[in-house]
Amino acid sequence: MSAPRAVRIGLAALLLLLPGGLSACGTTGSPLPYTAGTRAAAPVPSPASVPAGQGAAGQDAQCVPRRSEQPVEALTQPGAHAQRVAEIEERQVLRVGVVAEARPFASMNWHTGVPEGFEIELAREIARAIFGDPSRVEIHAVDTRDREKALAEDEVDVVIGTMTMTCARKERVNFSGVYFEASFTLLVSRNSGLSTVADLSGRRVCSSQGSTSIGKILNLPGFPEGRPEPVPVSRVGSADCLAALQRGEVDAVASDDTILAGMEQQDPTVRVLGREAFAGASAAELATLDEPYGMAVARTDLGLTGPAAEARRKADSDLVAFLNRMLLDMFTDGRWQRLYADFLSDVPGIQAHLPTERQPHWPDGQVGQVG
């Protein structure tokens, strides 16, 4: 790549992810492709073995948040893809929505002028699987609250935006299998004296609009009965919550440990509370802290009936199965581990647990024990 083109791409990415450049719906008005340069190789954790067991297929009588489509047998070559993948191929670019403030998963590198992070590289891997070219991807910045809207309005093909798989969301979007296991927790000021959920009684706790954290603030595991509940406060994004904490407008930020750990790296005056903050909680209560991330794609069958709805459901399922094959290949050939090493290995509190360690027969949704 010539130097002038590298500069143009960097400026495009800069405009794409600047908060002031976002439209009212949370995405940019004129998305442009970007290409991140070749990354240096890094030491990798040993990949976990992936058993070849089969998960449940087809429609489930009862929703299991982590359950997804079984992967296709193998990724096909360009020109031989199923309908929704072929539609992306025909457009000649993959459009991916990310939450651009979620370092180390997706954020702007102000030194290089291009977005980077674990989820940015996942987007590049999808483009590689479809086109054989990881640079053919447009990165769209979306707010947490607008991830589903961006899909419904066909602004993006996939959202890879620290999006927790839930049954409520599955009524509106389709999810790939889990690509990262995060956990709900809290961020507080180091000099606040707050160390447990009981300390948050009657205090203001901030979470981003559209996140799963809002509901969890009033159901904190280990919170003592009879005490005044924390007071939920919402802001557009997690960065807005951090700013509110820094200004003293709130007492804590509630979000995923992955997002909060990135904040702690940037601001030494705050700290992430560990599992000890939920002392006294039962195992079942602690399980509600799980935040399994899945790639989201639009449900194009919504509003349709009969054969038209069935055809769209089949097309949607084929796209998800394609994404799941790409993810499973990444788990088994070491690419997932390399991305972990590059972006997450130096972030305290984030562990290199492959999703297949929690789900031995991934992506069937049945959670086991982490070894």
Side-chain angles (χ1 to χ4, degrees):
M1 178 185 295
S2 65
R5 175 163 171 74
V7 171
R8 289 198 301 273
I9 290 172
L11 290 175
L14 175 66
L15 293 174
L16 196 57
L17 292 183
L18 270 173
L22 302 184
S23 68
C25 69
T27 61
T28 60
S30 55
L32 296 171
Y34 89 99
T35 300
T38 303
R39 296 175 295 109
V44 303
S46 299
S49 59
V50 182
Q54 294 297 311
Q59 186 84 16
D60 295 311
Q62 183 176 0
C63 173
V64 177
R66 286 180 172 83
R67 180 172 291 157
S68 185
E69 298 290 337
Q70 283 296 306
V72 296
E73 291 187 5
L75 296 178
T76 55
Q77 295 298 314
H81 295 136
Q83 181 178 345
R84 286 198 61 185
V85 181
E87 290 167 359
I88 297 169
E89 186 179 19
E90 184 176 359
R91 193 190 312 117
Q92 300 186 23
V93 68
L94 170 75
R95 305 165 302 169
V96 177
V98 303
V99 178
E101 62 184 20
R103 182 179 184 271
F105 281 80
S107 64
M108 174 59 71
N109 183 324
W110 298 107
H111 297 290
T112 63
V114 295
E116 66 179 18
F118 188 91
E119 292 175 333
I120 300 295
E121 293 303 319
L122 286 181
R124 288 168 52 81
E125 289 300 326
I126 300 174
R128 187 195 306 276
I130 295 175
F131 304 107
D133 181 355
S135 71
R136 293 174 70 172
V137 59
E138 291 177 354
I139 297 298
H140 295 234
V142 297
D143 294 331
T144 302
R145 62 183 179 182
D146 290 323
R147 293 173 295 193
E148 293 178 23
K149 181 180 180 182
L151 289 168
E153 296 184 354
D154 195 32
E155 296 175 358
V156 297
D157 303 302
V158 185
V159 166
I160 316 177
T162 60
M163 193 169 180
T164 301
M165 302 168 71
T166 69
C167 289
R169 286 174 173 167
K170 281 188 167 186
E171 294 179 0
R172 302 179 295 273
V173 301
N174 291 291
F175 281 108
S176 72
V178 181
Y179 66 83
F180 198 89
E181 290 279 1
S183 181
F184 170 92
T185 191
L186 299 146
L187 183 81
V188 298
S189 297
R190 287 189 179 276
N191 62 0
S192 66
L194 304 175
S195 59
T196 70
V197 293
D199 297 332
L200 297 175
S201 176
R203 294 182 179 271
R204 299 157 298 177
V205 182
C206 187
S207 63
S208 56
Q209 297 172 6
S211 72
T212 56
S213 300
I214 294 175
K216 292 183 177 182
I217 292 173
L218 293 177
N219 295 282
L220 293 172
F223 190 83
E225 293 184 9
R227 296 278 296 276
E229 298 279 359
V231 180
V233 176
S234 68
R235 293 288 188 270
V236 172
S238 55
D240 301 300
C241 283
L242 175 61
L245 178 65
Q246 293 165 333
R247 292 192 296 262
E249 297 170 0
V250 299
D251 302 291
V253 178
S255 189
D256 304 345
D257 55 355
T258 49
I259 296 171
L260 298 183
M263 292 181 180
E264 184 179 19
Q265 273 195 317
Q266 299 174 78
D267 183 353
T269 69
V270 300
R271 68 186 183 96
V272 178
L273 299 184
R275 280 293 173 108
E276 64 276 6
F278 304 93
S282 67
E285 289 175 319
L286 291 175
T288 67
L289 301 177
D290 291 350
E291 301 281 354
Y293 293 164
M295 300 180 183
V297 300
R299 282 192 56 181
T300 61
D301 66 311
L302 297 179
L304 301 176
T305 59
E310 289 296 327
R312 291 314 305 177
R313 277 194 286 272
K314 173 65 165 59
D316 295 344
S317 296
D318 288 345
L319 172 56
V320 174
F322 180 91
L323 295 175
N324 285 347
R325 169 48 59 184
M326 184 211 74
L327 285 172
L328 189 56
D329 288 350
M330 290 185 68
F331 297 160
T332 55
D333 66 17
R335 280 178 290 161
W336 188 96
Q337 294 85 351
R338 284 193 286 275
L339 293 188
Y340 171 88
D342 285 353
F343 296 105
L344 303 171
S345 61
D346 63 343
V347 181
I350 298 182
Q351 302 298 317
H353 291 310
L354 275 169
T356 46
E357 294 180 45
R358 293 291 304 275
Q359 294 175 222
H361 303 300
W362 183 98
D364 68 337
Q366 301 304 310
V367 178
Q369 296 295 319
V370 175

